[in-house]
Amino acid sequence: MTDFSEAPQLIDRFGRTVNYLRISITDRCDFRCVYCMAEQMTFLPRAQILSLEEIYVLARTFAELGVKKIRITGGEPLVRKGALALLQNIGRIDGLDELVMTTNGSQLETMATALQEAGVKRLNISLDTLDADKFKAITRTGELSQVIRGIQAATLAGFKRIKINAVILKDRNHLEVTDLVKFAVDNGIDISFIEEMPLGIVNQHNRSDAYYASELIKTDLARHFILAPSLEKTGGPSNYFNVVGTQTRVGFISPHSENFCSTCNRVRLTVEGRLLLCLGNEHSIDLKQVLRDNPDNTDVLKQVIIDAMLIKPEKHEFNIHEQPVILRYMNMTGG
Ligand code: SAM
Ligand code: SF4
């Protein structure tokens, strides 16, 4: 048994220190992005999901085990009732250096300032296109203008950093990569391009046909911008470049064309309370049950989390040319 009172650190079999937790606080969302969800989704019943109090206890417990950064995600985190109060509470946890969030931006017009005041330091906002019709087609239910207003509200609210996340699909939005970088430059924010990951079964496109490698995006961008490799290390999967002459960084998250697992420092908590040790594998532990079985004893929970590190896989195994082996959707996973 590991003695966590002496060395509060989570270390896996491969010597990687886990100090970053991503928490999905809801599987629900006001959008239905084609790469993330099926059009008709069944969401989890309330009894099956963690309460806000349980999420807070888990976040605090991870911080006591050396986690320094927490990202709140979903589903769309801001559609969960009580999300703001939860963020305020997590923002006050001792030992946590950074509270950040990923959002689709739909609620930011009214919530950005309150989020900043709650202690959220950085925001990732998803935006795949600047064309209103394409935006509707990709998100199925979203309004581009609402998200643009949300991004503007966020830039005024004073976050330390804002980054656009764009999933690029061939023949849907791959011709827009230059315009998206221009948008980021004009707004003084960063942008990351993401290769689609084969999570859950999607029915609107063939993932293999829609694959658009990061290298192709770099070639497209090189016609309009000078990209200089950034020396700044974020510890994450993004490979960053500075757009020379601007404040903007462009990142590439390339789960297919590059393997970033050797430096992985993160685990994910689903809204069902399942601790996922790897985005691209099913290895997981049911922390909700441990918490509910031991409501007054977080030492048991800590030991289970420490032991879970022993099953963290070495790397993800994605193959977009086959039917996905990971049947959970991204909104369940907490992207
Ligand atoms: N709803 C929020 C949002 O869209 O930003 C947070 C949750 S969403 C699941 C987090 C991120 O995962 C988004 O940037 C989204 O574009 C990305 N994503 C969803 N499905 C994906 C997939 N199959 N492959 C790659 N990225 C995906
Ligand atoms: Fe919702 Fe985000 Fe998934 Fe789009 S990517 S459906 S916004 S959870």
Side-chain angles (χ1 to χ4, degrees), residues 34-102:
V34 292
Y35 43 74
C36 178
M37 291 195 188
E39 191 153 17
Q40 303 300 331
M41 289 289 289
T42 309
F43 294 107
L44 295 166
R46 181 167 282 270
Q48 227 164 300
I49 67 169
L50 294 171
S51 68
L52 296 175
E53 173 61 20
E54 286 171 330
I55 295 174
Y56 171 73
V57 171
L58 284 161
R60 200 187 55 208
T61 306
F62 273 93
E64 286 166 9
L65 288 169
V67 162
K68 298 286 174 211
K69 173 174 168 184
I70 290 183
R71 176 174 301 279
I72 301 297
T73 178
E76 174 45 41
L78 296 179
V79 302
R80 178 145 185 193
K81 274 207 192 80
L84 192 58
L86 173 67
L87 283 154
Q88 284 161 344
N89 290 334
I90 294 180
R92 286 195 283 262
I93 290 176
D94 276 346
L96 199 63
D97 291 342
E98 237 189 347
L99 174 61
V100 297
M101 171 180 248
T102 304

Side-chain angles (χ1 to χ4, degrees), residues 27 39 50 123 157 173 186 190 198 204 206 266 298:
D27 61 332
E39 191 153 17
L50 294 171
L123 279 186
N173 60 349
D186 290 346
D190 295 335
Q204 278 221 341
N206 176 312
R266 64 200 57 195
T298 48

